[in-house]
Amino acid sequence: MTDSDVLAKAAKALRQAHTGQREGSGFTRARVMNSLHRDRRRRLLRWAVFSPLASLLLVGSAWAQSTGKWPVIWQAVAAVFVSAPDPAPPPQGATTPAARPRAERPLPPAPDPDAGEAPEEPEAVPALAQPAPESAPPKAARPRSKRRAPAAQPAVAETPSAPEPPPEPAPDRELARFRAAHDLHFGGRAREAIRAYAEYLKAYPDGRFVPEARYNSALDHIKLGDSAAAREALEPFAEGRYGNYRRKEARELLEALP
Amino acid sequence: MIFALYGIMRASSLATADHPAEALVSRLGAGDSHALGEVYDQHHEAVRAFACRLVGDAAIAEDLVHEAFVALPRVIKRFHGQSSLRSFLTGVVINHARHHVRSASRRRAMLTRAGREPTPESRSPESSAEGQAFLAALNRALDTLPLDQRVAFVLCDVEERTSGEAAELAGAPEATMRTRLFHARKKLRAALEKDGIR
């Protein structure tokens, strides 16, 4: 017998051994049909579950959009899913100069009429440019954490019949002073702003807004064309004395100064 | 649901006496379960025979047949009538065979280790008494082949298809199919010789 004969015999043996006729073929047919019906049922169930959910979502969204309740719903949903605890504000005076400006970052920016004169980024304390009502406490000083709430609760608990409004926070003189300078800075009154910032720095040499005051007064010096004073004010920022706060901008400004 | 019913009705309207196969395919595509039953009745023997030859284990081949027929309504969109529906089904079996061939091969290896299968000695395939032992040895030899070469051997040598047909079924170029067949024969011969079959 040759090799090819062995393979031919092997092929023939396989062919004859498996003709495809089997007693269990009816059972396999039933299995196939059953699997098909099960798949179809599963698909239908998926449709039956997801279609109403999708339509509900769609109709609900349309209703919320048309009635203007979308932001309220969105806030409620966000409150459910994003329940990160609000970090407690750092104690005043204990912050490093680099960390201080970051704490002020969430405040909205304000337009600077002289922005074209110097390459500025949005100011670090821009909310102060907006005239805020005197009664409302400034954002920087407002108690944002829920941890502070229990401190006020005992007073309320003592007089349950007549709920009193929470005590007004003490007026923040430092902030008021800085705000005055800041308003002048954003009002385009550079000379007066420099003077106001200098007064603030003199009164609060370790104040919360010292880096902002120094940087803004440097910008005011640039606006007035006083390059030497601007350079002197910007150099500490460029050297990183205030961390990375305005470091890059200060370097760019120093390079651009005549 | 409405679309499916409409599809079935439309496919049924196409079921003329001139094109029963096309109508069957249309009904399959529309999701008609009775059409699948008809396809099964017409082709299950050929499909089972190929599956058994490829896998070498009747029980596992039955699972492969089941899987191929269950997958048919899903993959029938790819059938454009260039070949027969039976050839298309063979292609579906090939596509689903990998896992089943592996499990059949593992099962055989386990049974051999357990001593449930006869150990081959010097024998000849002509002897009908030793036919089962020869088949067992042949399956073991086939287990040494990669799936592509195994498919090539079964399609070309066992099912006696041309290399062109086999290439079309396996979705490979014809030259590749010939190369696979060449290597399959060579390895199979060596494996059978090693098993004492000459």
Side-chain angles (χ1 to χ4, degrees), chain B residues 18-55:
Chain B
D18 297 338
H19 307 287
E22 284 176 25
L24 197 59
V25 171
S26 301
R27 283 167 58 205
L28 259 180
D32 184 358
S33 56
H34 295 293
L36 185 66
E38 283 178 41
V39 171
Y40 183 89
D41 293 338
Q42 285 175 20
H43 302 292
H44 76 94
E45 284 190 7
V47 172
R48 181 176 294 103
F50 174 71
C52 284
R53 288 163 190 167
L54 187 62
V55 172

Side-chain angles (χ1 to χ4, degrees), chain A residues 15 18 25 28-29 35 40, chain B residues 31 40-41 53 62 66 158:
Chain A
R15 209 166 28 244
H18 305 294
S25 66
T28 305
R29 188 187 195 279
S35 298
R40 191 162 293 164
Chain B
Y40 183 89
D41 293 338
R53 288 163 190 167
E62 211 61 44
H66 166 257
V158 181

Side-chain angles (χ1 to χ4, degrees), chain A residues 93-152:
Chain A
T95 53
T96 60
R100 248 180 274 152
R102 201 165 291 161
E104 306 296 329
R105 285 219 183 260
L107 301 175
D112 189 347
D114 298 333
E117 292 181 26
E120 283 185 298
E121 274 195 5
E123 292 298 324
V125 203
L128 298 168
Q130 308 276 341
E134 286 302 317
S135 59
K139 277 193 174 182
R142 193 186 300 161
R144 296 195 304 175
S145 170
K146 289 176 183 174
R147 287 179 207 162
R148 288 192 177 184

Side-chain angles (χ1 to χ4, degrees), chain A residues 108-112 123 125-132 179 182-187:
Chain A
D112 189 347
E123 292 298 324
V125 203
L128 298 168
Q130 308 276 341
R179 176 180 288 163
H182 201 79
D183 289 345
L184 290 169
H185 171 72
F186 278 102

Side-chain angles (χ1 to χ4, degrees), chain A residues 1 3 6-7 9-11 13-15 17-22 25 28-29 31-33 35-37 40, chain B residues 31 33 36-37 40-41 44-45 48-49 52-53 62-63 66 70 126 135 138 157-158 160 189 193 198:
Chain A
M1 192 185 296
D3 283 348
V6 170
L7 289 184
K9 294 283 180 189
L14 267 181
R15 209 166 28 244
H18 305 294
T19 56
Q21 290 170 344
R22 196 166 185 251
S25 66
T28 305
R29 188 187 195 279
R31 263 178 79 198
V32 169
M33 302 311 283
S35 298
L36 198 71
H37 288 302
R40 191 162 293 164
Chain B
S33 56
L36 185 66
Y40 183 89
D41 293 338
H44 76 94
E45 284 190 7
R48 181 176 294 103
C52 284
R53 288 163 190 167
E62 211 61 44
D63 286 344
H66 166 257
V70 168
E126 288 97 332
L135 266 181
L138 182 57
D157 282 4
V158 181
E160 297 177 318
R189 206 174 291 140
E193 272 180 16
R198 293 174 191 284

